[in-house]
Every structure is written in structure tokens, then in C-alpha cells.
Amino acid sequence: MLQSIRDGSRSWGAKIIIGVMVAAMALFGIESLFGLFGSDPNQVASVNGQPIMRQQVELEVQRALRSGQVPPEQERALRNDILEQLITQQLLSQYAEDGGFTVSEEQLDQLIVSLPEFHDQDGRFSPEVFRNRLAGAGYTPLSFREELRVDIQRQHLQQGLAFSDFSLPSEQEQLAALQRQQRSVRYLILDNDDVDADVNLNEDALQAYYDAHQERYERPEQVRLEYVLIDRQAMAEGRDVDESALRQAWREQNRDADRRVSHIMIMFGDERTRDEAQALAETAREALDEGETFAETALRYSDDTASAEEGGDLGVISRGFFGDTFDEAAFGLSEGDVSEPVELDNAFHIIQVTDIQGPTFEEQRDELAREVALQEVDDEFNQRVQQLIDESFAADDLQSVADSIGLSLNESQWIARDSETQGVLSEPGVMSAAFSDDVLEEGYNSEVIELDQDRRLVLRVAEHREAALLSLDEVREDVEISVAAEQQQQALREEAQALVADLREGQSVEVEWQQANNLTRQADTNVPQPIIQEAFRLPRPDEGESRYQTVELPQGVAVVALDSVSEGEVDEQMETFVSQMSEQLRAQSVLQGLIEDLRSDAEIER
């Protein structure tokens, strides 16, 4: 439960409190937040008499699915794995209790006040934050302390086991020597071109292979699906969009984009009154309407002489640079447009936008057309979705639903529960819905599945067939291919073994060896990995001699000749890493041994 304590995570609140709260609400409703840790008759397993409840399993399943690390179609396998994990945790907790592992109240207090999820804005522990976080996750302070106590006990047990096992210095030195060891080898790869096998595909051979490999010819449980899909993108495709709507959308998208502006500023105060300035500004605006250029008008009328000499140019501005009034005028214009006189800071301004720092209308036309079309079909899409929800719930088929809404009824090929699918059927949640009890067993239409913001899908099972062993006749072609490959591989194996026998007897053989000198265990080389592994398994040869062995490859058989073994150079960084990995593996082995022993003695009921 307290994953942060086990993993050393610093995001305890996000992973635990929020995760528990969201998952519980999604699965069981808001009431479950306050009854999460109370008694519940829905027991899925017991470990030495202590129950594991369905809610515990479901919360962990939903958390894993929401993390995106586990595909929804693997939900059933995930549920089994999580139940096994909870059983293991229960066994370790019981063992820790029996062994006298204790956690003092002071230790719990110290840990709780150190958790940042319970700190206020000043970084200090806050009782109010503590109570609110726990209440939101369905904990009481007492139940939280007990959960924390059990988790710490379990971690202390695991750490104690890890530290109780160690390597002697001599063992570490031997491991380091083996790690840096180098070996020189020759190898020969035999493939189908090297041996002309006498392939015999008689009925007895086929039957024998089929009987020995029946697991390969089991057809999994499969369904054939019918489904209807509402796709907002498809509805919007090819829709004619009004040009004015496109331009309005472009203006909206670029309303906050930086822009280059020019202005004509006519001041009032000491030299002229406000009314005089306004009248002069209107005169200047009329001159622009009559065809005078903005630069000419700025030279004639603008009191901002510095910018007037540059055609009124103020450069590129961002929203907020000159204040709300100026923004309202400047950021409401399209490129090339000129504003009416705007009053600002004892002056009237006539503003022109000369450039917008962003994509042009033509550059964005296609994207804007898609977005506007999507907006225009939004109401129709929502109406269709609601109709799909209403009609699919009560219908005994999907054809009538599709006809009523004006949709196409789609059909799939046979699909297994865990098979790879394509298109919309590969989306998260689709296959889990197809194999749910309501759809598979009861024959109902599924609920409306939200694939993304633009697509909704409903499916039903058109046909269902249980897992079955396919007959030899149904898989004869595959069996023939496998038998032929096996007989060919056996012929290669016999040829390689005969070659090795001759080499070990000192006979001269005419082959083209490939040479690989000073190989290491982690060699970055083109030599196939099975050959490297076998080279390091062979005993050290005597001086001037070689060791020979055959190696099975995915396609073919290799003959390996180990010629020499030498001590490599010391790499302290690599040796430290290997030593640490060795200690971790030893610790894991000890813990796994304890778990297996506890499981063998425990009374576990599922």
C-alpha cells in the first residue's frame, strides 16, 4: 500500500493518497472512500486465516492500468499477478510479526512528520493537512499508522535478509577475475546449404511431432465482433466552411500574437484642446480613407515626430505593452487594417497593423478548415452519441442501432483475447469490453466506449468460440514445415558433432574458420551471442591445444574452438558494478528462498 516506503519514492502523495482516492471513486463510488479499510465480505483470498479483499486487488489493478504500463487487454492476467503480490506481502508481514519486528510510536511519528505530503506552504508538518489528506484517501489517523507500521516492518525484514548475506573478499576477487577474462576462439556456422538432409514427412513423423507439441496448435478463445463507430473527424471531412468563418477563426487564433504596428499620435493639453485633437484625428483618418498612405499621413499629422519619420512605425509589440485600450484596438485588427482614432494618455492614436508575427491566413487555411468543420459538427456529434447511448442500451442487436443513427455496421475477423488487433479495436478498453461478462456471456451490447474526444464505439459479440485443440489436418501444413525444419536441424547437429569428434581426435579437417580474438563477456561484436556464451563455458585448454563444442543457433549449428584464455585489464568501474549486481542478486535469492518456504508452509485459499 505504501509504495513510497518500499521504493524510496518522493512522490508518495501522488502515487498513494491520490491514487487510492481516484481509483476507489471510479470503482465503488464516493462511499468507498470512507469504507475502504472497513470490513467487507467480498473476500478473494486468505493467507493463514487473514483475508485479502476484492477492493485491495481492484485498487491496485486500476492504478496499474491508469499508469499506462499495462495494456487494458492484459487486465485479467494483471489481476492474478496482483493477487499473488498481495499474498506474498501478507506472508512477509506475518513472518515479520512472528519474528518480533517492531516499530515504535516515536519512529512512526518521526516518519509521518517528515513526509512532504503532510507539510504546509512553509515546509512544516501541518496537522490540518495531515487530517485532510487522510480523510480524502479514506484513512483515519489510526488506520494509516497501522498500515504504515506493517509496511515498515516488511521493509525492515527485507533489508535484514539482504544484509545477512555477503560475499567473501576471495569470492569477489574470483568474480572480478572471471569478469575481465578474455578468450580467443574460432568458430564455424553450418546452415542448410552445408547439409543435404533426408527429410521424411511420413504420417508417423507428423503425428509424433503434433502429439509432442500440441500447445502450439491450441486455438485460443476467440470472438467475432460487430461494432458501430461515431467519428467526429469523419463527419467533418469534406464539409464546406464559409470563408468568413475561416477568417474569424484565424483572427481568434492570432489575437494574442505579437504584431508590428504603426501609429499617428495627435496630442491635446497645452497646445490644443481635446475636441481640437479629436477633430484633427478624424481629419487624418479621412485622408487615409481617401487613399493617402499611412506614412504620408503620419508625417503631416503625427506629434510623435520620431516615429513619423519612419512612417509611424513603433516596432513589434506584445499584448499588454501599451495598456488595455491600445491592445483592444491593435489586437483587434488584421494585417493591413487601420483603426479609428483611439484615446489614450492625452492623445488620440490611429493604429495600423503592418505585420502579425505568426502564420499567414493562407498557411493556416487547411488547419483552420478542419477546426471550424469540427466545431460545426459538434452538436450533431453529441446528438448522435446520445442517441447511440440510448438505443444501444435497449437493443438486442447493433444493425438496427446503426440504421437508426445512419452509421455503418462493421465486422471483425476472429480475434483472441490477447491477440494484437488493428484500428479502433486496438484502442485501450475495447478488447476488455469485448470479453467482459455482460458482452461475452450475457450477449449485451457494450457500453459506449470513449476512444478519444472525437470517437465513440459500441460493440457486441457476433460469434464466440471456446479455446480448442486444432486437429492435425487443420494444421498439417504448419506441422510439415516444423518437421522438415527439425529434421534439417538434426542433420546439421549430427554433422557438427561428427566434425567435433574428428577435431577432438586430432584429425585434420578442411573448414574455413572465423576468428575472434580476445573476446570478453560483454563484447560488442558481430559474433553470435550463443557462441560467446559457449566460449566462456568451456574449460581452459592446455597450452597449444583447443577445446571444441557444438552450439545450437536459431537457424543452424555452430562449432566452437576455444584456443586460449588470458587475463584482461582491470576495469575498476566495471568490477564495482559487477560486485554490486552480484550482491543484489544474492539478496534477491535469499528473499525469494524465504518467500518460497513461507508459501510451502502457509494455508492459502483463493
Side-chain angles (χ1 to χ4, degrees):
M1 177 61 70
L2 303 178
Q3 192 65 38
S4 65
I5 305 302
R6 291 191 288 270
D7 298 338
S9 170
R10 296 183 178 179
S11 56
W12 184 90
K15 290 184 178 179
I16 306 303
I17 292 182
I18 296 175
V20 170
M21 180 174 64
V22 172
M25 290 177 65
L27 286 168
F28 311 112
I30 190 68
E31 299 84 356
S32 65
L33 295 180
F34 304 100
L36 183 59
F37 301 100
S39 60
D40 188 332
N42 197 2
Q43 177 178 315
V44 294
S46 68
V47 181
N48 294 325
Q50 293 189 8
I52 294 176
M53 312 309 295
R54 182 178 69 89
Q55 284 183 331
Q56 293 175 264
V57 177
E58 293 302 322
L59 288 173
E60 297 296 336
V61 168
Q62 294 304 314
R63 187 178 294 121
L65 292 176
R66 284 188 172 87
S67 72
Q69 298 176 358
V70 180
E73 59 268 20
Q74 297 181 13
E75 181 175 339
R76 176 175 293 185
L78 171 65
R79 185 173 284 103
N80 293 333
D81 291 343
I82 285 177
L83 177 58
E84 292 302 314
Q85 292 173 13
L86 292 174
I87 290 173
T88 297
Q89 291 176 9
Q90 188 76 273
L91 286 169
L92 292 175
S93 296
Q94 293 173 3
Y95 183 79
E97 288 283 350
D98 295 342
F101 286 84
T102 60
V103 181
S104 69
E105 298 298 321
E106 291 76 12
Q107 287 176 305
L108 289 175
D109 290 338
Q110 185 177 4
L111 178 58
I112 289 172
V113 299
S114 69
L115 289 172
E117 285 72 26
F118 300 143
H119 291 177
D120 58 20
Q121 294 181 346
D122 297 326
R124 294 191 296 267
F125 175 78
S126 168
E128 182 179 358
V129 173
F130 175 68
R131 288 191 297 270
N132 290 340
R133 288 292 182 97
L134 294 188
Y139 284 101
T140 66
L142 288 178
S143 66
F144 175 76
R145 289 177 70 88
E146 184 58 29
E147 189 77 22
L148 184 59
R149 184 195 309 276
V150 170
D151 202 83
I152 295 175
Q153 287 176 331
R154 192 159 52 230
Q155 181 172 349
H156 283 177
L157 169 64
Q158 295 179 29
Q159 290 176 344
L161 289 170
F163 292 142
S164 68
D165 190 71
F166 58 90
S167 300
L168 295 173
S170 60
E171 293 176 318
Q172 294 183 4
E173 291 174 5
Q174 185 179 17
L175 178 63
L178 289 172
Q179 180 60 34
R180 61 176 176 262
Q181 193 179 81
Q182 295 180 346
R183 298 192 169 204
S184 294
V185 302
R186 291 167 291 142
Y187 65 95
L188 170 69
I189 297 178
L190 301 177
D191 58 26
N192 293 344
D193 294 333
D194 297 310
V195 175
D196 186 15
D198 183 16
V199 176
N200 182 5
L201 299 180
N202 60 51
E203 194 67 19
D204 289 341
L206 297 180
Q207 187 67 51
Y209 186 90
Y210 171 80
D211 292 340
H213 301 87
Q214 288 191 354
E215 71 281 356
R216 298 183 184 180
Y217 307 112
E218 290 179 354
R219 185 189 65 209
E221 180 185 19
Q222 293 178 323
V223 293
R224 194 174 59 77
L225 300 176
E226 296 176 342
Y227 62 94
V228 292
L229 174 71
I230 301 179
D231 188 336
R232 192 198 318 251
Q233 298 273 2
M235 293 171 61
E237 285 181 5
R239 188 181 182 92
D240 291 331
V241 180
D242 184 70
E243 183 76 8
S244 62
L246 290 181
R247 291 195 173 274
Q248 178 61 31
W250 180 77
R251 284 192 291 269
E252 286 295 322
Q253 267 199 14
N254 293 278
R255 62 189 303 271
D256 292 329
D258 292 351
R259 53 200 60 209
R260 193 178 193 95
V261 298
S262 299
H263 81 146
I264 299 169
M265 181 177 71
I266 301 173
M267 302 179 64
F268 58 86
D270 295 337
E271 297 184 3
R272 65 173 71 93
T273 66
R274 179 186 179 282
D275 290 343
E276 290 172 339
Q278 185 175 13
L280 189 58
E282 290 173 353
T283 300
R285 187 66 177 82
E286 290 171 0
L288 292 170
D289 290 339
E290 292 171 358
E292 188 171 279
T293 67
F294 198 89
E296 292 170 342
T297 306
L299 279 173
R300 282 212 295 151
Y301 293 100
S302 182
D303 292 327
D304 183 358
T305 55
S307 69
E309 293 176 357
E310 302 294 332
D313 183 43
L314 291 175
V316 176
I317 66 169
S318 300
R319 182 177 283 276
F321 194 82
F322 287 119
D324 294 342
T325 303
F326 195 95
D327 285 350
E328 187 176 347
F331 286 85
L333 298 174
S334 297
E335 186 175 326
D337 288 351
V338 178
S339 74
E340 296 298 324
V342 177
E343 185 176 351
L344 175 66
D345 296 334
N346 297 324
F348 285 93
H349 299 259
I350 301 173
I351 303 167
Q352 182 185 43
V353 173
T354 57
D355 181 46
I356 294 178
Q357 304 291 299
T360 65
F361 173 74
E362 291 302 326
E363 290 173 337
Q364 284 193 297
R365 174 185 285 276
D366 292 342
E367 179 183 348
L368 291 169
R370 286 192 295 270
E371 293 178 358
V372 172
L374 285 172
Q375 294 172 4
E376 291 183 353
V377 301
D378 193 59
D379 288 343
E380 181 185 353
F381 173 78
N382 291 331
Q383 291 171 2
R384 282 190 167 192
V385 169
Q386 188 58 52
Q387 189 177 0
L388 180 63
I389 293 172
D390 295 339
E391 296 194 14
S392 64
F393 178 78
D396 293 329
D397 67 338
L398 275 184
Q399 184 66 65
S400 62
V401 176
D403 293 342
S404 176
I405 305 177
L407 301 172
S408 298
L409 182 68
N410 302 283
E411 296 184 0
S412 76
Q413 301 296 321
W414 286 104
I415 304 173
R417 186 187 300 270
D418 297 325
S419 64
E420 292 187 6
T421 54
Q422 296 180 345
V424 295
L425 298 182
S426 66
E427 297 286 351
V430 173
M431 295 311 297
S432 59
F435 283 90
S436 66
D437 289 342
D438 283 348
V439 176
L440 185 62
E441 304 297 338
E442 303 297 332
Y444 298 145
N445 294 330
S446 72
E447 295 183 353
V448 174
I449 304 170
E450 183 175 339
L451 304 180
D452 52 40
Q453 63 179 1
D454 291 326
R455 295 178 301 164
R456 305 291 186 273
L457 178 140
V458 171
L459 59 82
R460 72 179 289 114
V461 173
E463 291 185 81
H464 170 232
R465 57 189 184 191
E466 298 287 353
L469 175 64
L470 299 174
S471 68
L472 175 57
D473 286 338
E474 292 176 289
V475 295
R476 180 174 296 274
E477 183 177 348
D478 290 340
V479 173
E480 288 177 348
I481 293 173
S482 297
V483 170
E486 187 178 70
Q487 292 180 1
Q488 180 70 40
Q489 185 74 0
Q490 179 60 30
L492 290 172
R493 192 180 297 119
E494 292 172 355
E495 180 70 16
Q497 290 169 350
L499 181 60
V500 167
D502 290 343
L503 290 167
R504 287 174 178 172
E505 292 176 0
Q507 298 183 22
S508 176
V509 296
E510 295 295 328
V511 296
E512 294 184 8
W513 294 101
Q514 298 187 59
Q515 188 76 36
N517 295 321
N518 301 322
L519 286 175
T520 62
R521 295 177 188 273
Q522 287 80 35
D524 184 11
T525 174
N526 292 327
V527 180
Q529 193 62 32
I531 293 177
I532 296 176
Q533 292 172 352
E534 187 60 37
F536 279 91
R537 278 195 289 262
L538 285 170
R540 181 191 296 263
D542 295 332
E543 186 69 26
E545 297 185 358
S546 300
R547 299 279 187 177
Y548 302 99
Q549 187 57 274
T550 63
V551 180
E552 294 279 342
L553 300 178
Q555 291 185 349
V557 178
V559 174
V560 179
L562 173 62
D563 296 327
S564 65
V565 178
S566 60
E567 300 300 324
E569 296 181 0
V570 175
D571 184 340
E572 294 184 359
Q573 183 177 3
M574 175 60 70
E575 291 180 6
T576 299
F577 171 76
V578 171
S579 177
Q580 291 173 347
M581 288 298 298
S582 174
E583 293 297 329
Q584 292 179 15
L585 291 173
R586 290 172 71 104
Q588 291 174 8
S589 177
V590 171
L591 179 60
Q592 187 60 37
L594 173 63
I595 292 172
E596 291 175 0
D597 185 63
L598 293 176
R599 280 182 172 268
S600 66
D601 294 338
E603 294 183 4
I604 301 174
E605 296 182 1
R606 295 176 176 82

